[in-house]
Amino acid sequence: MPKVTVDGQEIDVPDGATVLQACELAGKEIPRFCYHERLSIAGNCRMCLVEVKPGPPKPQASCALPATEGQEIRTDSQMVKTAREGVMEFLLINHPLDCPICDQGGECDLQDQSIAYGRGATRYEENKRAVTEKYMGPLIKTVMTRCIHCTRCVRFSEEIAGVDEIGAVGRGEDMQITTYLEQAAEHELSANVIDLCPVGALTSRPYAFEARPWELKKTLSIDVSDAVGANIRLDSRGREVMRALPRINDDVNEEWISDKARYQVDGLSKRRLDKVFMRKRGKLQPASWDEAFKAIAKAKPGKDIAAIAGDMVDCETMFAAKALLKACGSKLIEGRQTGMDYDVSNLAAVNFNSTFAGIEAADAILIVGSHIRWEAALVNVRIRKAVKRGAKVFVVGPYWDTTYPAEFLGEDLSVLGKLPKEVAEAFKGAERPAIIMGGAALARGALGAGLAFAEKFKLVRDGWKGFNVLHFSAARMGGLMLGFAQKGGMKDIVKAKPKVVVSLGADEMDFEPFADALKVYIGHHGDKGAHAADIVLPGASYAEKDGTYVNTEGRVQFAEKAVFAPGDAREDWTILRALADALGVNVGFDSFAQLQGAMIAEVPALGEEGLADYGAFPKADAKAKAEGTISAYPIRDFYLTNPIARASSVMQQCSSELLGGGELAEAAE
């Protein structure tokens, strides 16, 4: 480890560190625009200048200069101060001084650093350069005259997303950042360039002119649009969630989120259920809570009551429903609403055991029945990192556009039992082989064959767990931990012919088999579930309640309440508690704290944030074989996978323009 001196302070720095990193280890703040910890070094903004001895007597860019033994680094000399002022003056030569109408105002790196490191005056008197706007789709608003050519957006698209859509054309004063043919940025992570842009060149189109950062209340939350459990921050004003931004968590989402996680939030205020409805003469009519509870009690369900959990439900709601059914004498609870049925006796067999960070170290990966770009865009980023390190990727299922080299082995699941020779050799020779089983594979009953594959190629060994199941429902692992799974799946629920079916935001299920039952929907949007219900009880969305969520790698995380639910809507657990009174049963809790305490007493792992321990990996049935073909993946439209997204006008526009190839018609059309 080389020793360097930073402003008189001697420190040890890791081998391969840059001077900028050495300065940060010493606690010095180095201004920068082009440098970013997760992107390659460009060294083109020159804002991070420092003075280094031995070396030429001039300021040097610290981001691109390796730290070596015996360096004396000055970050506070007059030479450095003058150089940074000069760089800032050059950066502002062509920058339009339009802060009052710029959406980046208040959280702009250029604003902050011009105050901290700038001169406070300009000597430039020529005309400023103007650049025509570029269309980058429905999510990214561009004002390219503000662009300082830091190339962060270019490097993100190429290195992280793996989609070469943004680049630079021209040289010198004529250089422009563009999508070349003025087309929309069409990948699932495109809007992360908004967070990366250090000026107001790329801002959020849907959020334009909506609010200023100092007006907003900031709440820590968890994304429920998929099973990755990305850490997000919800910014709200009054009773409305204005935007979602990523939080840094290196174990889960690093500092990225998918476009759906970011932009589905406008659906939180549209198509909302804000009053009780009951079906009268074939139509849903407004009713009171008292009427609804009396109607449910009148059905006298007794032990003939079932509860189906949706994809975005928190653990507390599922536990409250389980407690209610237990008090009624029923065990008819299920979370796999689309009819999937797989063995859940050992949760290690249905978990993403490698962890997201761990999959980066895999050197041979078999993806079975998963369109990872749509089911878990941030896991796709991790696999791309593994490929950069030399991993080979093979896919069983219909073709999809990967962002890394991958070999498709066809749609027939029998390939799990007999791999092509070169693929088998790749797995035999791999130090850290891995398999990822997706929803399409689980639906085809291929879990047993996947476990047999794991045993055959020793995917689970000392220091490495290479067997992974990739769920795409935020509620799935939490539900499985709480026992929200029948041995026969939804078929067992249908066979039991319950008198009352309680749907906890289950919008993807088939309600037809329950035509004779009283269907009670507890949810937040007027989606498929509400249309099929006999009684609609308005609940709270993930942004309107505290809740525990478990992602597909078994990581327990807690989300906080950002805003209040609209109208007569109530938090789901309070509805279930009131329903218990109407049915004359005791569930054992009267407050959220009591409910959470009872849940943690039953499943202690849900009380500790972090990875849950599911115990030893199960032995596989060597005779297990997978049959049939995977003809399609469960997600057919990345942007419209849940009721919040389907209510979002932004997500509808993305679906129409980016996937449908058309433009969404405006109201006047």
Side-chain angles (χ1 to χ4, degrees), residues 227 336 338-342 367-372 375-376 396 413 436-447 468-473 476 552 629-635:
R336 300 165 296 180
T338 53
M340 278 195 278
D341 175 22
Y342 44 83
I367 300 168
V368 186
S370 178
H371 186 329
I372 291 191
E375 291 173 22
V396 178
L413 280 165
I436 298 174
M437 307 282 291
L442 297 182
R444 284 286 180 184
L447 182 61
N468 303 299
V469 170
L470 184 65
H471 301 290
F472 48 84
S473 305
R476 182 70 77 243
T552 189
T629 59
I630 297 173
S631 56
Y633 297 111
I635 295 178

Side-chain angles (χ1 to χ4, degrees), residues 151-312:
T151 68
R152 279 186 181 183
C153 55
V154 178
R155 284 175 284 148
F156 173 82
S157 296
E158 290 180 1
E159 297 165 15
I160 307 295
V163 182
D164 296 349
E165 288 185 331
I166 304 176
V169 294
R171 298 184 68 182
E173 193 175 326
D174 296 323
M175 180 178 169
Q176 296 186 24
I177 303 292
T178 175
T179 52
Y180 300 116
L181 301 175
E182 304 280 315
Q183 79 231 24
E186 292 184 3
H187 59 87
E188 305 75 36
L189 302 167
S190 64
N192 286 290
V193 298
I194 294 165
D195 298 329
L196 287 172
C197 185
V199 295
L202 304 177
T203 52
S204 173
R205 190 179 287 275
Y207 178 69
F209 311 122
E210 291 292 323
R212 286 297 198 188
W214 53 84
E215 301 175 309
L216 304 174
K217 185 184 98 176
K218 299 161 181 65
T219 309
L220 307 184
S221 190
I222 302 297
D223 168 42
V224 296
S225 66
D226 57 29
V228 173
N231 289 209
I232 59 173
R233 189 187 88 196
L234 295 177
D235 287 1
S236 56
R237 185 175 62 189
R239 299 188 73 155
E240 185 180 359
V241 175
M242 304 299 290
R243 64 177 179 177
L245 294 176
R247 289 188 285 136
I248 296 175
N249 186 329
D250 287 336
D251 294 325
V252 185
N253 57 308
E254 298 176 288
E255 59 186 271
W256 323 119
I257 53 172
S258 72
D259 291 349
K260 182 166 53 179
R262 188 185 298 265
Y263 285 116
Q264 69 173 5
V265 293
D266 79 310
L268 289 169
S269 58
K270 298 180 177 74
R271 293 192 199 165
R272 285 306 298 267
L273 298 172
D274 57 359
K275 54 170 74 85
V276 179
F277 289 93
M278 288 179 66
R279 196 170 293 280
K280 298 172 184 174
R281 293 180 292 281
K283 285 189 176 180
L284 286 171
Q285 309 278 359
S288 68
W289 285 100
D290 198 39
E291 268 184 281
F293 287 140
K294 279 179 179 170
I296 298 168
K298 193 178 175 185
K300 295 182 180 174
K303 61 183 174 72
D304 295 324
I305 182 171
I308 317 295
D311 290 346
M312 300 192 293

Side-chain angles (χ1 to χ4, degrees), residues 292-613:
F293 287 140
K294 279 179 179 170
I296 298 168
K298 193 178 175 185
K300 295 182 180 174
K303 61 183 174 72
D304 295 324
I305 182 171
I308 317 295
D311 290 346
M312 300 192 293
V313 188
D314 56 297
C315 292
E316 284 80 0
T317 297
M318 288 187 277
F319 181 78
K322 183 182 177 183
L324 172 64
L325 265 68
K326 187 178 178 183
C328 292
S330 170
K331 292 182 179 177
L332 299 176
I333 53 176
E334 181 57 70
R336 300 165 296 180
Q337 52 174 324
T338 53
M340 278 195 278
D341 175 22
Y342 44 83
D343 182 19
V344 292
S345 55
N346 187 322
L347 293 186
V350 289
N351 185 46
F352 201 95
N353 296 292
S354 297
T355 72
F356 300 151
I359 199 70
E360 293 178 16
D363 46 8
I365 303 171
L366 179 65
I367 300 168
V368 186
S370 178
H371 186 329
I372 291 191
R373 272 187 71 174
W374 284 6
E375 291 173 22
L378 296 169
V379 176
N380 195 59
V381 168
R382 304 279 193 169
I383 295 173
R384 184 172 156 74
K385 282 192 192 176
V387 171
K388 279 185 174 179
R389 291 172 178 170
K392 293 180 178 176
V393 177
F394 308 95
V395 185
V396 178
Y399 178 80
W400 49 278
D401 194 10
T402 60
T403 57
Y404 36 78
E407 184 181 334
F408 282 78
L409 305 178
E411 301 178 5
D412 195 335
L413 280 165
S414 62
V415 75
L416 282 174
K418 193 176 181 185
L419 289 177
K421 187 181 176 186
E422 66 278 8
V423 181
E425 284 174 358
F427 275 88
K428 280 176 185 168
E431 284 184 33
R432 291 176 297 279
I435 186 173
I436 298 174
M437 307 282 291
L442 297 182
R444 284 286 180 184
L447 182 61
L451 290 167
F453 177 91
E455 193 150 300
K456 181 179 177 182
F457 290 102
K458 296 183 173 58
L459 266 57
V460 178
R461 52 183 81 168
D462 284 346
W464 177 251
K465 292 181 180 178
F467 183 83
N468 303 299
V469 170
L470 184 65
H471 301 290
F472 48 84
S473 305
R476 182 70 77 243
M477 283 307 291
L480 296 180
M481 288 171 75
L482 287 165
F484 248 78
Q486 295 285 311
K487 196 167 185 183
M490 286 291 288
K491 287 178 191 169
D492 274 11
I493 306 276
V494 173
K495 274 183 200 167
K497 295 186 177 176
K499 290 181 184 175
V500 174
V501 176
V502 179
S503 166
L504 305 170
D507 289 282
E508 320 304 326
M509 67 179 277
D510 181 10
F511 286 89
E512 201 174 317
F514 303 108
D516 299 331
L518 179 69
K519 296 177 284 296
V520 181
Y521 179 78
I522 302 174
H524 39 79
H525 277 78
D527 208 80
K528 299 170 192 171
H531 286 286
D534 301 309
I535 296 175
V536 175
L537 305 177
S541 71
Y542 75 101
E544 294 148 8
K545 58 186 173 184
D546 292 331
T548 306
Y549 297 91
V550 186
N551 74 357
T552 189
E553 58 173 356
R555 187 178 300 277
V556 179
Q557 302 184 108
F558 191 74
E560 296 175 7
K561 177 178 180 174
V563 292
F564 288 95
D568 290 337
R570 298 289 180 267
E571 291 182 31
D572 302 21
W573 75 268
T574 62
I575 298 172
L576 293 160
R577 175 66 186 81
L579 183 54
D581 283 347
L583 295 174
V585 294
N586 179 27
V587 288
F589 57 83
D590 295 312
S591 68
F592 184 77
Q594 288 176 358
L595 163 63
Q596 206 172 44
M599 179 184 77
I600 293 167
E602 185 170 308
V603 187
L606 290 173
E608 295 179 32
E609 289 198 278
L611 290 172
D613 182 6

